[in-house]
Amino acid sequence: MENLLLWGFYLLTFYAFLPGFISRTFGFRVFKKGRAEQEIALTFDDGPDPVYTPMLLDLLKRFDAKATFFVVGANAERHPELLKRMKDEGHIVGIHNYVHKTNWLMRPSTVKKQIQRTSEIIEAATGERPIYYRPPWGIVNLFDFSNMGYLQIILWSCMFGDWRNRVGAERLTKRMMKKLRPGEVLLLHDCGTTFLADHDAPVQMLTALEAYMTAGREQGYRFVSIDQMIELTDNASDHAGKRALSASTKTKLSIWKRAAISLWIGWEKCFRVMFKVERIGTGDSIFHYRICPYHGEPLKLADGRIIRNNDRVIELHFDNRKLLHVMMNSRSVLQSAIQLIREVEQSLPKLAVHMAGRKEFDGVSGLYGISMIHRGSESFGFSVLDLPKGLFNILTRFYLRLLLRVLHPGGGKRVSNKKGTLIPRIIAMSMDEFHKRYDPPTTPDRQWTRPPIELAAKPLRAYEADKAAGEVTP
């Protein structure tokens, strides 16, 4: 009995408590607070409600405010007209499960079905597939990090207990006024039918929200939806990163190191132009890519698929400027690793969206790259394979280690100390696996097919020189 209880404790810790703690404390794989100058994000859970949601929408319209609604699928199914109105008036509609039940008490497959069903209801009402998800009570389980696929998990920076009548409009207003500052993500409720909530509590919320937005408008604040806040935060991070990078390179790096970095970044821009390496979407991804034929021995992948010589592949390249930013602004190796994981997790779903409906991706067999950053790649669906011995292997090692010396603040020392472990490897994933993991759930199932024609192979020497110059980099 004691062993059974101990195992139960371990399972609960790793399945429920640790993922929730990590996501809330470190922001791992979630967005919970923004960086903005005069913007605040309003989010509302548990609706839509046939009485209070229309009143809320009228209030938001008066203040020209945009918001994000995380709807319960069962409520949305009964009131699709309210979802349509949300979308028509410029708001974002996200998922809050089909029923308001914590993910801790559901199996991963059940959570996935809840999300799928709610996603279909939202898309039917608005014509748009939702891409934001807030788990009830903000509680995630271990498998949520891998099962979300294309979804961005949204939490919050402040909540106020507005689901209970006893808080009252006056006290609720005082609580909210303390959070009248840029970048906040407010959690409020436009429906009081969930467990522990009071049915008419949204009346108090509406009164307090009106006072809050009135004060906010007088102070020049704007109320925005979560996608706008994320965009503002990304832009602020980019600007801050450039300033920090400039300051840190001036203080930490020698003039020769700064010159080497500038030359290398310049060469990378030329390489992208010469070899038609493209950005993903708006260019905020850690990856660049190009579509080209694979040359080499067959790659046997973990899902049983095989990428063969001359198959067309999506060749992935890290954005070295972003890598440099991560390395220069991380306090430790662990922090760098966590940041890179987050970047990759955000970039793969963006690639799936970028690919949707584009003819040039037809007949592609898989994703492919070579990198010394490959630990943990299996969790994203990649197979990690040894690079065949030969000239290409030697040139690739030389190139990647040289790049590490240039980009990493302590690159020379790291190459010398870790020479035995800095081994480039192939990372590859079949398109079946990619679509299964990262396509939106309403995308029709795709079948992995061999390319219809054999593409002409590039001469080996030219190919090796090409790869050594521009393969996926650490």
Side-chain angles (χ1 to χ4, degrees):
M1 184 62 182
E2 183 179 345
N3 286 336
L4 183 62
L5 291 174
L6 189 60
W7 275 108
F9 172 77
Y10 287 155
L11 288 173
L12 281 175
T13 298
F14 287 101
Y15 181 74
F17 301 139
L18 278 182
F21 173 77
I22 291 171
S23 63
R24 288 298 308 174
T25 305
F26 300 106
F28 179 70
R29 283 217 60 184
V30 303
F31 183 86
K32 62 178 185 176
K33 188 172 184 178
R35 297 180 63 181
E37 294 183 358
Q38 289 294 107
E39 290 78 21
I40 297 170
L42 300 175
T43 70
F44 300 91
D45 285 7
D46 300 356
D49 182 278
V51 175
Y52 299 115
T53 302
M55 295 170 64
L56 172 58
L57 289 168
D58 290 342
L59 179 62
L60 294 171
K61 198 173 198 178
R62 279 174 46 204
F63 284 86
D64 192 26
K66 304 305 176 188
T68 305
F69 292 84
F70 292 98
V71 300
V72 173
N75 295 338
E77 198 168 32
R78 289 190 289 268
H79 304 289
E81 73 284 354
L82 291 177
L83 270 64
K84 184 177 186 303
R85 181 181 171 186
M86 292 172 188
K87 194 264 182 183
D88 290 345
E89 294 182 4
H91 306 296
I92 298 295
V93 183
I95 300 169
H96 201 44
N97 282 359
Y98 183 78
V99 295
H100 199 279
K101 185 177 180 181
T102 173
N103 290 6
W104 282 4
L105 302 179
M106 293 188 289
R107 292 175 298 177
S109 60
T110 305
V111 175
K112 193 172 184 178
K113 288 177 182 177
Q114 293 252 339
I115 292 172
Q116 169 77 20
R117 187 172 180 183
T118 307
S119 178
E120 291 171 352
I121 292 167
I122 294 172
E123 185 171 13
T126 67
E128 289 187 357
R129 183 182 303 115
I131 60 173
Y132 300 108
Y133 173 63
R134 174 175 287 163
W137 293 295
I139 294 174
V140 296
N141 65 48
L142 177 64
F143 296 97
D144 286 342
F145 293 136
S146 59
N147 284 341
M148 292 304 101
Y150 69 105
L151 292 172
Q152 167 71 60
I153 300 175
I154 305 296
L155 297 183
W156 58 86
S157 60
C158 48
M159 64 177 177
F160 311 98
D162 65 310
W163 59 88
R164 301 305 301 268
N165 269 330
R166 67 186 182 191
V167 175
E170 183 178 351
R171 187 158 45 150
L172 181 58
T173 301
K174 290 180 180 178
R175 290 179 180 179
M176 292 175 64
M177 289 301 181
K178 293 179 181 178
K179 300 295 183 179
L180 187 60
R181 54 195 186 196
E184 297 287 355
V185 178
L186 274 61
L187 168 59
L188 298 165
H189 298 79
D190 60 326
C191 182
T193 61
T194 54
F195 180 62
L196 296 179
D198 295 325
H199 189 274
D200 55 349
V203 172
Q204 319 294 332
M205 182 275 293
L206 290 168
T207 301
L209 180 62
E210 182 174 10
Y212 181 82
M213 289 198 294
T214 299
R217 186 164 63 180
E218 290 173 354
Q219 296 181 39
Y221 286 106
R222 292 194 310 126
F223 300 99
V224 300
S225 54
I226 202 66
D227 61 332
Q228 294 172 305
M229 181 59 76
I230 291 174
E231 183 178 3
L232 288 166
T233 302
D234 288 344
N235 290 338
S237 297
D238 286 344
H239 293 320
K242 288 176 181 177
R243 290 195 299 269
L245 178 58
S246 176
S248 62
T249 52
K250 287 178 181 178
T251 57
K252 297 179 182 179
L253 303 181
S254 69
I255 187 172
W256 302 111
K257 186 82 168 183
R258 296 203 302 270
I261 289 173
S262 299
L263 287 172
W264 199 283
I265 296 300
W267 153 246
E268 187 181 64
K269 289 181 180 179
C270 294
F271 173 83
R272 289 203 299 265
V273 172
M274 287 188 296
F275 293 97
K276 298 181 180 179
V277 178
E278 300 185 34
R279 295 179 180 271
I280 294 173
T282 58
D284 57 347
S285 167
I286 192 69
F287 292 124
H288 294 161
Y289 78 94
R290 66 171 180 163
I291 301 172
C292 62
Y294 163 73
H295 295 289
E297 296 297 320
L299 303 177
K300 296 180 181 180
L301 309 180
D303 63 353
R305 302 297 185 184
I306 299 176
I307 295 179
R308 295 183 173 84
N309 189 52
N310 279 336
D311 278 356
R312 294 174 72 235
V313 294
I314 300 170
E315 184 181 271
L316 296 177
H317 298 253
F318 275 126
D319 184 329
N320 287 324
R321 185 182 292 275
K322 282 185 175 289
L323 283 178
L324 177 61
H325 168 64
V326 169
M327 292 174 180
M328 291 296 301
N329 291 280
S330 298
R331 293 185 298 273
S332 66
V333 174
L334 177 60
Q335 190 181 40
S336 294
I338 290 175
Q339 183 60 36
L340 284 174
I341 288 171
R342 293 183 66 182
E343 291 282 355
V344 172
E345 285 174 331
Q346 293 169 8
S347 294
L348 290 172
K350 289 177 182 177
L351 176 58
V353 172
H354 179 77
M355 290 169 57
R358 300 183 64 167
K359 297 287 187 183
E360 60 265 35
F361 291 98
D362 290 349
V364 167
S365 298
L367 285 73
Y368 167 85
I370 298 175
S371 178
M372 289 192 294
I373 301 177
H374 47 69
R375 291 185 181 180
S377 299
E378 293 91 345
S379 63
F380 300 118
F382 287 103
S383 299
V384 180
L385 307 167
D386 289 335
L387 194 62
K389 294 180 180 180
L391 179 60
F392 176 43
N393 187 314
I394 295 170
L395 293 176
T396 300
R397 289 188 185 217
F398 172 78
Y399 168 74
L400 294 182
R401 287 176 179 169
L402 177 60
L403 180 59
L404 186 59
R405 285 180 182 273
V406 171
L407 292 185
H408 198 284
K413 184 177 180 181
R414 182 166 177 80
V415 169
S416 300
N417 293 343
K418 301 288 185 179
K419 190 172 182 179
T421 60
L422 293 177
I423 301 174
R425 285 191 167 87
I426 296 169
I427 57 172
M429 185 192 318
S430 73
M431 293 313 299
D432 262 1
E433 185 69 21
F434 178 77
H435 289 311
K436 182 174 69 175
R437 285 174 174 261
Y438 300 106
D439 270 9
T442 50
T443 300
D445 290 339
R446 307 182 189 213
Q447 296 297 318
W448 187 91
T449 56
R450 299 268 294 135
I453 58 173
E454 291 289 312
L455 302 176
K458 188 186 297 184
L460 182 59
R461 287 183 180 273
Y463 171 73
E464 289 177 337
D466 170 0
K467 290 290 186 181
E471 195 48 87
V472 175
T473 55

